[in-house]
Amino acid sequence: MAGDGGQRVAIIGAGLAGCLLAVLLGRRGVPVTVYERRPDPRVHGAERGRSINMAISARGLAALEEVGMREEALKLALPMHGRMVHPLGGEQNLQPYSADGVRAINSIGRADLNRSLLDTADDTPGVTLRFSQRVTGVDADAGTILFEGGGTERADVVLAADGAYSAVRRSLDLDVGTDFLEHGYKELTMPPKDGDFALDPDALHIWPRGGSMMIALPNLDRSFTCTLFWPKEDFGALDTPEKVTAFFRREYPDAVDLMPDLTGDFARNPVGSLVTVRAWPWTRRGDGAVVALLGDAAHAIVPFFGQGANCAFEDCIEIDRCLTETGGDWARALSRYQERRKANTDAIADLSLDNFIEMRDRVASPVYRAKQAATHSLERRLAGRYVSRYELVSFTTMPYAEIPARIRRQNLILGGAVAGGAALLGLAARALSRR
Ligand code: FAD
């Protein structure tokens, strides 16, 4: 399959990033073959054990817009304007995500989004999708892709979008760090209640409990997908339906009666791992092929900022942009792509780990709520000059790497503007009293 300048271009993995990149390449007239280990999910149904729904925000939507898919994706999604916090023994409270209360992140079924991307890839001239093709590695010097069962295919350019446990990455001599969180996750279902959503569908629900944490995102069929995060070893301790029910009744009393198949779900559904992958370099130039990693294959992150797919989509846009800038010179384009993206993906990896602590431990505290109210109040007064970290991550496309410095700068200016903590607390109190 000869591509740009007669080169054979292959993408490994028809997940979210692989599909979007295929569409972008097809549209620029680069023929590309996508190899996917699974059978076609549009025919055989989605694979179990991966997150059922996820949040797409400004970065993901901006990328989908590039291929005319933004509106289609939004039709598959439900907006969530804030987090609804369920404290133990207290009233649930809504914390809007943005200062204006208008901006929202969007809950979307992963399988729906993947199917929609596959359909678009199928309709894009020059894109060939090949399913049930498990890649075991790439020989960059020979210019070959290696498949389970011993088959090979020639390629000059290999773009590895084969996820956090990338077989392509493993076959290259790269510096790779994989950090597993002690917490794993298990997905549980909250079906519709009397034909309607059992909870407010306009929010991402959080039950922060320190050691464990549960979140719930709404689905179009009026159910919620709940995800329980907990140290992996603790899941095993709940080895009878009675123990599961007792634990949920103690820790999640307002949710337990809304989950009629809790014990069945708990027994059936696997415990997933949460991993941060830091690889470098992301490209390898052999005698026969240039290979590059993207998406989770290059930089899997923990899901606590809801940015993994958003960030993977940004990679695709950057590859496309670098190809334009270099006139289709793949080696230069991919080298430029990795240089531009690495600091950004490192930054969102760190921000995501920080946000776990925030979600798990802080969001329920009155001090946190006061601080958040003060932040939103400042954002409204100093529109565009003071913007919260959450807003910069979720509602802008500012490079992730610029966000920590921007927040530090804002806080410094603010520190100079207000006479110490007392004034800030006053502001928080006034902001809270208006709610
Ligand atoms: P993947 O989506 O993993 O796709 C990889 C593809 O490659 C798959 O189709 C796979 O079958 C295929 N493949 C794998 N190995 C091979 C092989 N050897 N040969 C051929 N094909 C192969 N992100 C967000 O933006 N928002 C969220 O709210 C969010 N929530 C999440 C919640 C959880 C619990 C988890 C675990 C992740 C969440 N993410 C979220 C992260 C997001 O799912 C990933 O960042 C995103 O899917 C990465 O896309 P990808 O295409 O790089 O990898």
Side-chain angles (χ1 to χ4, degrees):
M1 280 129 271
D4 227 9
Q7 287 187 307
R8 283 162 295 210
V9 181
I11 294 174
I12 315 302
L16 302 178
C19 286
L20 180 63
L21 185 57
V23 174
L24 287 162
L25 294 183
R27 288 189 178 202
R28 60 185 301 127
V30 177
V32 56
T33 304
V34 186
Y35 298 97
E36 166 58 48
R37 75 172 170 197
R38 297 170 298 168
D40 188 340
R42 294 166 301 174
V43 180
H44 297 269
E47 195 180 56
R48 282 191 68 83
R50 320 177 75 228
S51 77
I52 292 166
N53 58 16
M54 52 199 277
I56 286 289
S57 47
R59 295 162 199 274
L61 291 174
L64 291 167
E65 173 120 54
E66 294 282 319
V67 296
M69 284 186 64
R70 181 192 163 97
E71 293 312 315
E72 191 179 325
L74 285 175
K75 277 193 200 128
L76 300 171
L78 286 164
M80 302 179 288
H81 287 91
R83 49 166 82 118
M84 185 73 84
V85 179
H86 298 245
L88 193 56
E91 282 292 296
Q92 47 177 287
N93 58 83
L94 180 69
Q95 302 177 0
Y97 279 131
S98 68
D100 60 12
V102 171
R103 281 182 282 260
I105 58 174
N106 304 283
S107 174
I108 190 165
R110 172 203 282 276
D112 293 339
L113 181 58
N114 206 164
R115 271 195 293 269
S116 179
L117 280 159
L118 283 167
D119 283 342
T120 308
D122 247 349
D123 291 344
T124 306
V127 176
T128 307
L129 299 174
R130 292 187 54 189
F131 294 97
S132 303
Q133 305 278 325
R134 183 186 284 269
V135 170
T136 55
V138 171
D139 184 334
D141 286 330
T144 48
I145 305 167
L146 316 171
F147 293 88
E148 190 176 63
T152 59
E153 290 277 356
R154 297 293 313 275
D156 303 294
V157 179
V158 180
L159 302 158
D162 53 344
Y165 305 100
S166 169
V168 175
R169 187 183 70 222
R170 280 202 307 273
S171 73
L172 303 174
D173 186 19
L174 304 175
D175 187 7
V176 181
T178 47
D179 291 324
F180 284 89
L181 220 59
E182 64 156 341
H183 283 66
Y185 71 95
K186 190 184 275 280
E187 289 189 324
L188 306 162
T189 305
M190 185 178 284
K193 189 180 168 205
D194 304 327
D196 207 351
F197 289 101
L199 301 169
D200 181 348
D202 192 31
L204 185 154
H205 293 259
I206 306 187
W207 291 259
R209 297 290 183 264
S212 74
M213 171 177 88
M214 187 163 79
I215 63 169
L217 275 72
N219 297 308
L220 285 181
D221 67 2
R222 296 174 182 246
S223 67
F224 279 84
T225 302
C226 307
T227 308
L228 174 67
F229 297 96
W230 210 19
K232 275 184 170 174
E233 61 198 32
D234 291 342
F235 279 103
L238 301 189
D239 52 4
T240 65
E242 293 72 28
K243 286 184 191 167
V244 173
T245 308
F247 170 76
F248 272 79
R249 209 159 276 296
R250 193 179 70 236
E251 297 290 326
Y252 305 103
D254 62 337
V256 63
D257 291 327
L258 303 174
M259 303 164 82
D261 195 21
L262 170 64
T263 54
D265 274 351
F266 201 92
R268 260 187 318 270
N269 294 347
V271 177
S273 295
L274 298 167
V275 65
T276 301
V277 172
R278 295 179 203 260
W280 191 254
W282 294 353
T283 65
R284 172 84 201 284
R285 197 171 174 177
D287 293 340
V290 58
V291 185
L293 309 177
L294 68 143
D296 276 13
H299 49 70
I301 58 178
V302 294
F304 304 108
F305 234 123
Q307 285 295 307
N310 287 283
C311 177
F313 283 159
E314 279 193 332
D315 288 353
C316 303
I317 299 298
E318 192 63 61
I319 291 174
D320 191 46
R321 186 180 296 134
C322 291
L323 276 172
T324 302
E325 290 173 8
T326 59
D329 179 333
W330 274 104
R332 279 178 53 222
L334 292 175
S335 161
R336 192 173 289 194
Y337 144 77
Q338 67 169 358
E339 294 295 340
R340 285 192 186 155
R341 290 295 292 156
K342 175 67 173 158
N344 290 309
T345 61
D346 280 350
I348 192 59
D350 292 341
L351 288 165
S352 302
L353 285 164
D354 288 351
N355 218 42
F356 180 35
I357 313 292
E358 178 156 326
M359 288 171 80
R360 195 184 65 179
D361 296 343
R362 298 194 193 128
V363 291
S365 93
V367 174
Y368 177 90
R369 287 177 63 199
K371 209 174 140 201
Q372 208 207 21
T375 304
H376 283 338
S377 169
L378 277 171
E379 284 183 276
R380 285 190 292 272
R381 285 176 197 201
L382 307 172
R385 281 172 293 157
Y386 186 90
V387 184
S388 74
R389 190 177 71 153
Y390 192 89
E391 185 113 11
L392 291 171
V393 170
S394 301
F395 302 131
T396 77
T397 53
M398 170 183 278
Y400 293 120
E402 292 177 16
I403 293 175
R406 160 88 187 233
I407 295 294
R408 274 196 301 276
R409 223 171 28 246
Q410 284 182 175
N411 288 344
L412 264 179
I413 295 168
L414 198 65
V418 295
L424 197 85
L425 277 176
L427 193 60
R430 281 200 298 283
L432 264 181
S433 67
R434 279 199 299 276
R435 287 178 166 252

